Amino acid sequence: MTPTITIDLNAPIPVYRQIVDAMRHLLVNGALQPGDQVPTVRQLAIDLGVHFNTVAQAYRLLADEGWLDLKRRRGAMVMDRRRPAAPSKERQKQSLQRLRELTAQLQSEGIPANQIASQLRKLADTLVEEE
Amino acid sequence: MPLSILAIMSVGLVVGAAIQCLAPLNFRPGIFFGVTVDPEFLRTEHARRILWRYRRPIIVMTVLCIAALWLVVPRLSGPAGPIAASALVFLGVGVAIVSMARATRHVRPFAKPLSPIRTVSVIPRKRTLPGGWLPFVGPMLMVGAAWLLLVMRRDSIPLEVYPGPLALLLWAFVSNAHFMSVAWLVTFRTRQINPSGAAAYEENTDTRFGYWLRLGFAYSLTFLLAGSALAVARITPAASPRFVVIWMASLPVSAMIVLAYVLKRRRLPLDTPGLAIGDNTPDACWKWGFIYHNPDDPALIVETRAGTFGCDLNFGNKWSWVVAAVILATPFVIRVLWF
């Protein structure tokens, strides 16, 4: 199955953030392995129809997180990222707050609470299985 | 004009008209005469009517051109005959372009907004020329070999004759540069619309076909121009009319190959996984269905809306103006500097 990313140009989330989140999802799930090449900034920008700087910003963020090794003119490569240490309590609190805000956003868009809960349970089960 | 040339031109006009009439079969799913529509729109009565309105002038003009070719052109003497015959071909092409532009206008009321969702593959595309570098530079090698032959035999070529073959080789060089650069841009700079699966495979097949078509034109023109240059320089025996007839016959044969490809090309069902509906270009940026201007699109070359193995320049990208200016200005610059 070819790994793909999907973005919504009309979504309120900035495009570069969508690219980062989608790529991170592939990286965490193992769809992209260490050593894999990803498209160059130019190729991804042209395919998505967005500005080069948007993709470049997304790649820089992923490189800062340790996911990508950026090589000028030769595109980016997925790095062997060591599992990070457990985040601080403050950081955990912030991350969980983001999760709560996301569920609130989904509810405000009309998705029923029980559907959100069911999806979260499925995701949680998948994460535990992968562990 | 010889009857064989008239026959070849007639076949060419018919095959050309067939390609133009069947071209709508080659539109991407969700694109109809350069406008983004619901894929189901093609089954409606409106779509059929628009299609007939597009095809009717092409058919009528083709019949008129063939009639004029056989009834009028043979009565013309001197260069008037070939000029008139060429004018009929250009007229046929012009009518098809106008008909396409009119069809675009009729489809606009049924347009659907372009989807803001973009799905792309994160696998880097392989950067290789189909067949490798040798076939790609082949036309230039042929021109280079002919030029070398001219230089080596310079002493045996009359002085007044020498510029003629050089001009023909220069023409071959410039046209090859054009075809090769377009073929390169299409291979390396167009975007992938269908990210994965059978749809991506078909898209890559179309891109390769377009590449080989352009390269074929380059070889064909080089064969004619380099051969003529050597014949004019009296290095090879003077080209007989048969040579010209054979070369001209290759044009409708090429058109038939294109027609066969268009007809045999696999059209995927709309529910094929990974099949993109429409393309990544907004309708508002297209003029007459074939001129694209979008400064927000980073692509220099964009997917054509008149089929699946062509391309168009994005005139919103400043480099496309440079490319267009180079193409248009080159013959004048050469004329001024060289001759």
Side-chain angles (χ1 to χ4, degrees):
Chain A
M1 184 84 178
T2 308
T4 57
I5 60 171
T6 300
I7 63 165
D8 183 350
L9 296 176
N10 286 353
I13 305 168
V15 171
Y16 80 90
R17 175 54 64 183
Q18 292 184 58
I19 296 171
V20 169
D21 292 342
M23 293 280 284
R24 197 190 291 121
H25 179 72
L26 294 174
L27 290 159
V28 165
N29 285 352
L32 290 171
Q33 293 290 321
D36 286 348
Q37 285 282 132
V38 293
T40 59
V41 168
R42 172 186 287 277
Q43 182 189 319
L44 197 59
I46 288 174
D47 284 351
L48 288 171
V50 300
H51 200 276
F52 300 126
N53 287 345
T54 306
V55 176
Q57 191 176 1
Y59 274 23
R60 271 197 301 272
L61 278 172
L62 288 166
D64 289 344
E65 288 178 15
W67 288 110
L68 295 181
D69 178 22
L70 301 180
K71 291 185 168 95
R72 198 169 166 75
R73 286 201 197 171
R74 286 166 55 195
M77 196 168 67
V78 178
M79 287 181 66
D80 188 5
R81 182 175 181 261
R82 283 168 200 250
R83 198 190 179 91
S88 62
K89 281 210 163 60
E90 188 57 38
R91 182 67 193 214
Q92 280 185 43
K93 216 167 127 179
Q94 283 173 3
S95 299
L96 289 169
Q97 178 61 20
R98 275 172 61 192
L99 187 59
R100 276 191 285 275
E101 285 165 6
L102 179 61
T103 52
Q105 185 187 339
L106 292 171
Q107 279 184 287
S108 73
E109 285 169 10
I111 300 174
N114 56 358
Q115 194 177 338
I116 298 170
S118 146
Q119 288 296 320
L120 285 171
R121 264 184 236 114
K122 275 190 199 155
L123 266 169
D125 291 338
T126 312
L127 284 170
V128 167
E129 272 169 28
E130 281 171 6
E131 286 277 307
Chain B
M1 268 183 103
L3 285 179
S4 53
I5 301 253
L6 290 180
I8 289 169
M9 289 188 80
S10 304
V11 170
L13 280 170
V14 168
V15 175
I19 291 174
Q20 286 156 1
C21 287
L22 294 171
L25 293 179
N26 213 27
F27 291 157
R28 288 181 199 282
I31 299 287
F32 192 57
F33 287 108
V35 180
T36 306
V37 295
D38 191 295
E40 294 299 322
F41 172 73
L42 271 69
R43 295 176 214 260
T44 64
E45 191 52 40
H46 294 293
R48 276 192 278 274
R49 212 176 301 133
I50 291 169
L51 204 50
W52 173 236
R53 271 197 206 157
Y54 161 73
R55 287 172 172 166
R56 193 174 47 200
I58 295 171
I59 295 168
V60 167
M61 185 48 70
T62 303
V63 170
L64 290 175
C65 284
I66 292 175
L69 200 59
W70 286 95
L71 297 174
V72 175
V73 169
R75 294 169 208 268
L76 300 172
S77 57
I83 291 172
S86 305
L88 288 172
V89 171
F90 281 111
L91 190 62
V93 171
V95 162
I97 292 173
V98 169
S99 195
M100 172 84 84
R102 283 180 61 214
T104 300
R105 220 176 54 222
H106 293 310
V107 176
R108 278 202 201 282
F110 304 98
K112 162 184 132 136
L114 181 69
S115 169
I117 309 293
R118 298 275 184 274
T119 301
V120 301
S121 163
V122 290
I123 302 291
R125 282 198 288 285
K126 269 193 214 170
R127 293 174 161 257
T128 53
L129 288 168
W133 280 95
L134 193 55
F136 180 67
V137 299
M140 284 300 196
L141 291 177
M142 284 166 66
V143 171
W147 175 78
L148 211 59
L149 213 52
L150 278 181
V151 166
M152 281 163 50
R153 302 271 193 98
R154 190 181 180 150
D155 293 334
S156 61
I157 302 171
L159 217 65
E160 64 275 9
V161 166
Y162 199 61
L166 281 183
L168 286 169
L169 287 183
L170 192 58
W171 183 4
F173 176 82
V174 169
S175 65
N176 282 346
H178 165 74
F179 281 120
M180 287 163 67
S181 51
V182 172
W184 190 90
L185 283 170
V186 166
T187 304
F188 291 114
R189 286 285 184 259
T190 43
R191 60 175 139 239
Q192 187 86 17
I193 303 296
N194 299 288
S196 60
Y201 178 77
E202 287 300 317
E203 187 176 339
N204 293 338
T205 304
D206 288 339
T207 305
R208 276 198 301 277
F209 181 77
Y211 169 84
W212 285 117
L213 195 65
R214 287 177 182 87
L215 212 57
F217 280 138
Y219 273 103
S220 173
L221 205 57
T222 303
F223 181 63
L224 176 73
L225 292 172
S228 303
L230 295 177
V232 166
R234 295 168 204 170
I235 293 175
T236 55
S240 69
R242 198 177 297 175
F243 166 75
V244 177
V245 168
I246 291 171
W247 181 83
M248 283 194 70
S250 69
L251 298 175
V253 166
S254 311
M256 282 186 226
I257 292 172
V258 173
L259 184 63
Y261 182 82
V262 168
L263 289 172
K264 289 210 73 164
R265 192 178 156 274
R266 201 160 65 110
R267 267 165 286 282
L268 298 167
L270 291 174
D271 57 0
T272 303
L275 179 68
I277 304 297
D279 60 16
N280 289 358
T281 56
D283 284 359
C285 299
W286 286 94
K287 187 78 178 160
W288 302 319
F290 55 84
I291 297 176
Y292 181 67
H293 180 274
N294 185 1
D296 295 330
D297 189 339
L300 170 67
I301 299 278
V302 297
E303 52 281 13
T304 183
R305 283 202 166 188
T308 52
F309 51 82
C311 62
D312 284 308
L313 281 172
N314 173 15
F315 285 99
N317 185 319
K318 62 176 187 269
W319 291 107
S320 67
W321 290 97
V322 172
V323 168
V326 165
I327 291 170
L328 293 172
T330 302
F332 298 102
V333 169
I334 290 171
R335 176 74 180 86
V336 166
L337 291 180
W338 192 277
F339 302 107

